[in-house]
Each structure stands twice: as structure tokens, then as C-alpha cells.
Amino acid sequence: MGRDFERSADASVGVGWWQRGLPVLAALAAGMAIAWAVTEGTTGLLPLYLPWPVVALLPAFMRDQRVFRRACLAAGSCLVVVGALGTLLGLFVVIPAGLAVLAAAGTGGRMTWLGGAVSALIAVASLAYATSQVVPLYGPANAFVVRFDGQQYQGHADLLGRLAVSPPRFGRGATDISIGEDDASPRWTVFFRSDLSSRGQAALRSYLGGLPAATSVRLCDSPQECGR
């Protein structure tokens, strides 16, 4: 009878606004982590990723402590298991959100402060890390794409090979070179310092345009194109 009374009393206790905020924070972390995974991977998997921030958010709608704790345990366990099983698909990124939701389940017990602190810490750290990975992907691309004539490139292979080392010996603010190929034509992606002035960028672009066999020089359209 004592246990029944405790359960009844527990169920009558409402969920605090700060407790509801923990699953919300975890859902934001999951959403940003998924944005990172989709940006780095393929948008074709987007339907597979979309449900999980919603799963993390569900406990925030519970009205009493007992149901809130159960929802946190169920949602957090689901995220951790799905993240582990879907590692090869990139779903591992939702595991921190799952751990944050699991920790939020402890806010209804005797160690309320500890569960809340652990949950908030995991969610904030995950959100901050994912944000730091996503934001640069949509920032300015500090690189030039240099395309070459394939036949002429072979004729100057020795010279161009000596120049295409990382870090490049010709300097001029360039920090790295990545060599690739477009339609059987050689392509260099020449990265430069983020603080390189407009005049410095113009000088580097002019130098690259004057390389043997170079046919065009342009800024990267996006960091994704540059592979950064």
C-alpha cells in the first residue's frame, strides 16, 4: 500500500518547465547532428533521419513525473539503440541526444540536480560540436579551383608536379593543394588562408592563371565542392 501511495503521489507531481526543456535541448542537438550528417553524406537518407529529433522531443509533452520518466527512458533507449544499429548509415550522431534524454529521466528522483546537469551537459556539448561542424560548411570557401588542359598538362608534368605539393612552395597565402580530375582534365583545388586580403587573393588567382596548361581559375562554389 505504501508503494501504491508513493506512485500515486509521484504521478500527481507536474513536470517542471526546466525538465521539459531538457528533451527540447536534446531534440535541438539531434536536429543539428542530423543536419551535419546529411550535409556530409547524402540527402537521399533524409527520410531516415527526420523522425529522431521528434522522438527526443516527445517526453517534453508529458504532464506528470512518472510518465515523463518512462517517456525519457523509452525515447532515450530508442535513440541509443537506433544510433548504434545504424552506425554505418550515420545514425550514430543521435546517440548523444539519446543519452541526454536518458539522463533527463533522473530528474524526477532524489538526484534531480545530477540528472538535469548531466542531461544538459551532454545536450549542450553535442549541440555545440555539431554546430561547429555545420556552420563552416555553409561559410565562404577559401579555395580556388584551377582547371588544366589535359594534353598540355602532360607536357609540363614535371614542373606542375613540383608545384603541387602541400604546403605549396610558391606561398602567396596558399596553404594546401588537392589534386583531382574533371572530365579527364586535371584539377587543382588550392586552399588559402581565411585572412588573406582581397589583394592577396587577386595576386594568388593571377599566379594560378599563369601556370602552364591552366585554362580557368575560379573560387569554389561551396566548401562541399572543395571537400572541406
Side-chain angles (χ1 to χ4, degrees), residues 33-102:
I34 285 172
W36 174 35
V38 171
T39 303
E40 292 282 18
T42 172
T43 56
L45 293 176
L46 185 58
L48 182 64
Y49 293 137
L50 286 179
W52 308 116
V54 177
V55 171
L57 185 62
L58 288 177
F61 297 98
M62 303 300 107
R63 295 185 176 183
D64 64 75
Q65 290 286 359
R66 186 172 63 186
V67 179
F68 175 77
R69 287 202 302 271
R70 288 178 177 176
C72 284
L73 290 172
S77 298
C78 179
L79 289 169
V80 171
V81 170
V82 166
L85 294 178
T87 295
L88 296 180
L89 297 175
L91 285 171
F92 65 89
V93 298
V94 303
I95 291 179
L99 295 175
V101 176
L102 282 174

Side-chain angles (χ1 to χ4, degrees), residues 37-199:
V38 171
T39 303
E40 292 282 18
T42 172
T43 56
L45 293 176
L46 185 58
L48 182 64
Y49 293 137
L50 286 179
W52 308 116
V54 177
V55 171
L57 185 62
L58 288 177
F61 297 98
M62 303 300 107
R63 295 185 176 183
D64 64 75
Q65 290 286 359
R66 186 172 63 186
V67 179
F68 175 77
R69 287 202 302 271
R70 288 178 177 176
C72 284
L73 290 172
S77 298
C78 179
L79 289 169
V80 171
V81 170
V82 166
L85 294 178
T87 295
L88 296 180
L89 297 175
L91 285 171
F92 65 89
V93 298
V94 303
I95 291 179
L99 295 175
V101 176
L102 282 174
T107 60
R110 296 179 180 179
M111 302 295 286
T112 294
W113 66 271
L114 180 60
V118 171
S119 177
L121 180 62
I122 295 174
V124 169
S126 175
L127 179 60
Y129 181 77
T131 300
S132 71
Q133 298 301 309
V134 171
V135 171
L137 295 176
Y138 293 95
N142 300 319
F144 288 115
V145 174
V146 187
R147 286 189 167 82
F148 297 87
D149 178 271
Q151 292 183 345
Q152 295 183 29
Y153 191 93
Q154 294 301 321
H156 298 87
D158 291 341
L159 172 61
L160 293 171
R162 289 195 298 270
L163 293 175
V165 296
S166 296
R169 297 172 181 172
F170 54 78
R172 293 176 170 79
T175 60
D176 192 16
I177 294 180
S178 175
I179 302 176
E181 192 172 276
D182 280 337
D183 299 327
S185 297
R187 181 198 70 235
W188 287 5
T189 304
V190 182
F191 299 91
F192 54 83
R193 299 195 318 268
S194 59
D195 62 347
L196 188 63
S197 66
S198 299
R199 180 176 296 182

